[in-house]
Amino acid sequence: GQWRMLRLSNSPCHVCWREMRRTASKTSSFSHFRKGGRQMSWFPHLNISKGWSLSPPKELKWIKFETQEDLSKWRLGCDSDYGGKSHCSFAITEKGTGLFSGSLDNTPIEVVKEKMEYEISISRPTPLFDLYKGRKTPEMARAGFAAISSLPMALETDLQHMNVLLCRVRTDGRLYLASLRTDALRPGFVYQAPIRGRPGEWSTVRLPLRDFVLTDRGLVFDSKVMMNLRSVSTFGITIMDKLDGPFEVEIESVIAIRDRAVGDPDD
């Protein structure tokens, strides 16, 4: 017979197209055909009558903090790793949320003396750039920061069908940054977008993926660099708002969704 390739999800299946077309009218489901008076299935693992669909999912509960196993997927760091005076911690609360807290100290650290010859170009009207005004070298950004990050590949890596992250958080009113890394990025490179919530109140912060910008140790690229959403290796939260003192942000979940009203990151 005449054979063609039909791709369903990620699994290639060879089917006899002529036979399926001839018998489709005799069955109520695309995935079934009749043979010897019995209804057979081309794809036994699929059942369209029970809601199976070729459409990509519209929602993914990407991040949660419910068990100690969830906590084991994360790591943290701050400027004390380079001789600074900030400190931080990350734990799961009894309410099933992740609590990232600590204190920042912006006392300068002399680690690298190499001079950098480029400056930051502030060409897009986004709150993220307010954070970096006046910083001309990565060395100046070494002090006064803390961050948590998922371990590489600990989360679902394919977000190509999503375009918005919904972060359910309770902050202290300070500026935090959501960070995304992909497989192809060099060390130090990360896509970031600001998280601003109402102090002391639970907020659902919408982060369109098109609003993430590429940064390198605090320096922002002035041209847009597309993100490969098929290979998102880590998600993190960073604080480096140039303010001394304690900080605290509580994270309930991060959900990735597909919102038709929002454009794709490469638009």
Side-chain angles (χ1 to χ4, degrees):
Q2 181 180 355
W3 294 85
R4 297 186 183 181
M5 175 73 78
L6 180 67
R7 183 173 294 276
L8 300 174
S9 266
N10 293 322
S11 302
C13 303
H14 288 84
V15 297
C16 178
W17 187 259
R18 178 185 299 171
E19 178 68 9
M20 289 188 67
R21 184 174 56 182
R22 182 177 65 82
T23 60
S25 60
K26 300 180 182 181
T27 66
S28 59
S29 171
F30 177 81
S31 62
H32 293 82
F33 69 99
R34 293 189 180 277
K35 181 178 180 181
R38 293 186 302 147
Q39 182 167 285
M40 307 292 290
S41 175
W42 287 108
F43 313 107
H45 59 293
L46 303 179
N47 192 331
I48 298 178
S49 63
K50 292 185 178 181
W52 175 80
S53 173
L54 285 173
S55 301
K58 297 181 179 180
E59 180 176 305
L60 169 66
K61 189 169 184 180
W62 197 35
I63 296 171
K64 58 182 176 63
F65 301 100
E66 298 175 351
T67 66
Q68 290 301 314
E69 182 180 354
D70 294 328
L71 184 63
S72 66
K73 300 176 181 179
W74 295 80
R75 58 187 175 183
L76 73 163
C78 61
D79 60 40
S80 61
D81 298 333
Y82 305 94
K85 299 180 180 180
S86 302
H87 63 85
C88 62
S89 64
F90 187 51
I92 290 184
T93 69
E94 296 179 353
K95 298 175 292 184
T97 59
L99 182 62
F100 176 40
S101 61
S103 182
L104 293 190
D105 188 322
N106 286 270
T107 303
I109 313 169
E110 292 188 10
V111 177
V112 181
K113 296 182 179 180
E114 179 184 356
K115 294 292 184 180
M116 309 299 289
E117 298 180 354
Y118 55 88
E119 296 185 359
I120 301 171
S121 175
I122 303 175
S123 60
R124 296 178 59 190
T126 169
L128 177 62
F129 291 100
D130 294 339
L131 180 64
Y132 302 108
K133 287 182 178 178
R135 295 186 177 181
K136 297 184 179 181
T137 70
E139 291 74 16
M140 296 174 63
R142 294 273 179 163
F145 76 88
I148 56 172
S149 173
S150 63
L151 295 174
M153 308 303 174
L155 306 174
E156 170 61 48
T157 61
D158 189 351
L159 298 182
Q160 64 174 315
H161 299 299
M162 308 302 176
N163 59 3
V164 176
L165 296 182
L166 301 179
C167 300
R168 184 68 175 168
V169 297
R170 180 167 61 181
T171 77
D172 51 11
R174 298 181 67 164
L175 173 63
Y176 295 86
L177 300 174
S179 304
L180 293 173
R181 276 191 54 82
T182 59
D183 286 347
L185 290 182
R186 292 172 50 190
F189 283 38
V190 65
Y191 294 94
Q192 293 185 312
I195 296 177
R196 295 184 183 271
R198 296 184 296 271
E201 299 181 15
W202 283 103
S203 307
T204 300
V205 180
R206 291 176 58 91
L207 300 177
L209 293 175
R210 67 181 182 184
D211 289 349
F212 281 75
V213 295
L214 185 61
T215 68
D216 177 14
R217 294 170 293 179
L219 295 172
V220 181
F221 287 77
D222 60 349
S223 58
K224 185 174 178 61
V225 181
M226 290 177 54
M227 188 189 319
N228 182 7
L229 294 176
R230 294 187 178 186
S231 63
V232 177
S233 58
T234 66
F235 172 87
I237 294 179
T238 301
I239 180 170
M240 48 185 299
D241 58 1
K242 300 184 290 186
L243 300 176
D244 290 334
F247 68 87
E248 181 177 288
V249 57
E250 193 171 355
I251 310 106
E252 180 180 290
S253 64
V254 178
I255 298 175
I257 66 169
R258 176 73 180 177
D259 187 344
R260 293 184 177 180
V262 178
D264 291 327
D266 55 350
D267 287 347

